[in-house]
Amino acid sequence: MTNARVQTVVDTVFGHELADPYRWMEEGPELREWLLAQGAKTKEHLTGLPLRAELLARLDEVTRDTVEVTSFAMAGNRVFFLRQTGDVPVLVVREGGEERVLLDPATIEGDEHSTLEFFDPSPDGRLVACGLAQGGSEQCHVHVLDVATGDLTPTEITHSLQGHPTWLPDGSGFFCHRRPAPDPAVPADRRRDNSATWFQAIGGGEPTITLRRGHNPTLPLSPIDRAFVVLPGDSELAFALISHAASAGSLSEELSEFSLYATDRAALADPTTCVWRKIIDPADEVTGYAIHGDTIYVVTHKDAPRSEVQAWSLTDGTRRTVVPGGDRAVMGVKVVGDHLVIRDIDAGTARMRRIPLAGGDIEEIPLPTGGTIAQWTAHPDGKSALIVFSSWTQPPTAYRYDGELHDTGWIPRSPVDFSDIEVTQLRASARDGVLVPLTVLHRKGLALDGNNPTMMTGYGSYGLVLRRAFNPRLLPWLERGGVYALAGLRGGGDHGHEWHAAGRLLTKENTISDFIDCAEYLVDTGYTSPERLAGEGASAGGIPTGGALVRRPDLFAAMVSQVPVFNTTRMEFSENGPINAPEFGTQTTEEGLRALLIVDSYLRVVDGAEYPAVLITAGLNDPRVAAWQPAKMAARLQAATASDRPVLIRVEQHGGHGLGSTRDQRNAVMADIFAFLAAELEP
């Protein structure tokens, strides 16, 4: 296929000349045409691979036999959750031991498939605020669902990405965050400025603004800040959480830079005149919190590399340490009954503890070993919590916690059998001597002869931890003799804040070198060889995969990058770019540019280098990573490589970043990846 046209633009930034041969892809309809043509060629290549049909059939089988249950919420005497047995998850309510489907997005008409991206029930469980999006875009139109009748009523709140609806205690209305309506006349990096949280009363009427830049002089906001309302059930205060950077999606834990303000709840009736006082500043280095009466329990890494828990008075401001820092990384806290429950991470795996609110000894909460807490939700009455746990070989189980764990039986056990799969927890030595967590899955009895096709994945950004969770989609790869490895790279959160800080901004080279060093460890220990090794990463996982590709093309036979970030020096000029500058860097400062240049693999591609086989994926509706990011890298590699290995870009025309994909879409992309690797990793 003819290579993409070249029209080089050279930017000179702090003395660095940044040559970009495909800048034209960032604007105009030509990119879509090029991507669709590339996608058609890639589809032809992938569907023609010998094992593709067989692998897809097996993926359909293992996912058809597995019921996926996610996103629990509790209100009144009802439990709400998403359950997937068909192509998209449906909203289910459980009450008195009985279950019924409230909303099936597959029944909603539209040009593309619909998904329920977020939901939140009113405190009494009568109504549910629902965010519905189409085509994997995550751009939601917010509706109100009547639980008794099943009626779904649209509101005027649209363009809501991670809306985080929050109800008034009496259920008379809710607050929800939304972004401005897209305007092509506005530069891409400014289209999400001045987002706002709106209040929607139940029973009709236009929504009104509660939080927005310039709306209240006591609540200072920058253009990129996102403001959310938080209303704890047992507090007379209302809170405004101001997110200053990209976050994991929760409003209570695994937060990045944020501020928290408080005002009297009654004063929120007039959001323009209520007086906000600051409770948490970014300088406090808080990443999680729980509010209980007049106390806020905070998770802070200030002077505690793996975080500690402190109790702050909301009345007089006094502070005391409740759980001192230690070897574990503290990720989140919740008040359950008369205890504070602490969620920890230990080298990437889940642990839990508790301590009496009145003070006392810290006790371990026994969990199954070697897994992850997929979700934990405290009941609004504060007396119990729901904890969903799974591991590589244990399907998800929903436990009710009231001082002890009780298996609710709400999640049907998957019949998919991982009993023949062995899980090994390793530590790979990085070049500077740091030990990097490395988990390896394979069939029992594997010979360490260097001849095993291996896919190693990594992420290493935002302090996030890749979940060690049950994944039936891995089985078709493993049962054919493939090895799967997960590297807990610096920049992620496997050892808390210190691990994140060791792979962020000017230390970001560690994220890439850890990925390379873990790959070399797998080769040195006999799991695989460079001829049979593939790297894989998604989203910010494009940083280690792209970085390793351009630094060590000899170490890999193939590289797979899904909806990836490659051209980081241009990322801040995309819609989702500005909020990511604190993580990756910015061209506005010389130091920020140096950080970006570490991770920009697009600018490091060398003409005439022999690159391995490459499969890149892109979603045309992606709200997080603009499609030109993967497109530019694919075009650059196609033009530069001197090897005879393919460089392919797989295009999801009706998909986004993957969060709103259908089951068929997920299975199809995994079948393509496995078939591609099976072909390219042959001896």
Side-chain angles (χ1 to χ4, degrees), residues 21 41 50-51 109 170 306 375 411 419 427 499 585:
K41 285 292 185 180
L51 294 177
E109 295 183 357
D170 62 1
R306 299 189 181 182
Q375 184 182 352
I411 304 179
S419 62
R427 297 290 185 273
W499 205 247

Coordinates of all heavy atoms in Angstrom, one line a residue, residues 21 41 50-51 109 170 306 375 411 419 427 499 585:
P21 N 6.6 14.9 10.1 CA 6.2 14.7 8.7 C 4.7 14.5 8.5 O 4.2 14.6 7.3 CB 7.0 13.4 8.3 CG 7.2 12.7 9.6 CD 7.3 13.8 10.6
K41 N -7.3 -2.6 4.7 CA -6.1 -3.5 4.4 C -5.7 -4.3 5.6 O -5.4 -5.5 5.4 CB -5.0 -2.6 3.9 CG -5.1 -2.0 2.5 CD -5.0 -3.1 1.5 CE -5.1 -2.6 0.1 NZ -5.0 -3.6 -1.0
P50 N -4.0 -17.8 9.6 CA -4.5 -19.2 9.7 C -5.3 -19.4 11.0 O -6.3 -20.2 10.9 CB -3.2 -20.0 9.8 CG -2.2 -19.1 9.1 CD -2.6 -17.7 9.4
L51 N -5.0 -18.9 12.1 CA -5.6 -19.2 13.4 C -6.7 -18.2 13.8 O -7.4 -18.4 14.8 CB -4.6 -19.3 14.5 CG -3.6 -20.4 14.4 CD1 -2.6 -20.3 15.6 CD2 -4.2 -21.7 14.5
E109 N -32.3 2.9 20.2 CA -32.0 3.1 18.8 C -31.0 4.2 18.6 O -30.9 5.1 19.4 CB -33.3 3.5 18.0 CG -34.4 2.4 18.0 CD -35.6 2.8 17.2 OE1 -35.6 4.0 16.7 OE2 -36.5 2.0 17.1
D170 N -32.7 14.0 49.8 CA -34.1 13.6 49.6 C -34.4 13.2 48.2 O -35.6 12.9 47.9 CB -34.9 14.8 50.0 CG -34.7 16.1 49.1 OD1 -33.9 16.0 48.1 OD2 -35.3 17.1 49.3
R306 N 5.0 5.6 50.7 CA 3.9 4.6 50.3 C 2.6 5.0 50.9 O 1.7 4.2 51.0 CB 4.3 3.2 50.6 CG 5.6 2.8 49.8 CD 5.9 1.3 49.8 NE 7.1 1.1 49.1 CZ 7.7 -0.1 48.9 NH1 7.1 -1.2 49.4 NH2 8.8 -0.2 48.2
Q375 N -13.7 -3.7 42.9 CA -14.5 -2.6 43.3 C -14.8 -2.8 44.8 O -14.9 -3.9 45.3 CB -15.9 -2.6 42.6 CG -16.7 -1.4 42.9 CD -18.1 -1.4 42.2 OE1 -18.3 -2.2 41.3 NE2 -19.0 -0.5 42.6
I411 N -22.6 -13.1 41.9 CA -21.9 -13.2 40.6 C -21.8 -14.7 40.3 O -21.1 -15.5 41.0 CB -20.5 -12.6 40.7 CG1 -20.6 -11.1 41.1 CG2 -19.9 -12.7 39.3 CD1 -19.3 -10.4 41.2
S419 N -7.4 -24.1 35.9 CA -6.7 -25.0 36.8 C -5.4 -25.5 36.2 O -4.5 -25.9 37.0 CB -7.6 -26.2 37.2 OG -7.9 -27.0 36.1
R427 N 10.5 -11.1 40.5 CA 11.1 -9.7 40.6 C 12.2 -9.6 39.6 O 13.2 -10.4 39.7 CB 11.6 -9.5 42.0 CG 10.5 -9.5 43.1 CD 9.6 -8.3 43.0 NE 8.6 -8.3 44.1 CZ 7.5 -8.9 44.1 NH1 7.1 -9.6 43.1 NH2 6.7 -8.8 45.2
W499 N 6.7 4.8 43.7 CA 6.8 4.0 42.4 C 6.3 4.9 41.3 O 6.9 4.9 40.2 CB 6.0 2.8 42.5 CG 6.5 1.7 41.6 CD1 5.8 1.2 40.5 CD2 7.7 0.9 41.7 NE1 6.5 0.1 39.9 CE2 7.7 0.0 40.6 CE3 8.8 0.9 42.5 CZ2 8.7 -0.9 40.4 CZ3 9.8 0.0 42.3 CH2 9.8 -0.9 41.3
G585 N 4.5 16.2 30.9 CA 5.3 17.4 30.6 C 4.5 18.3 29.7 O 3.4 18.1 29.2

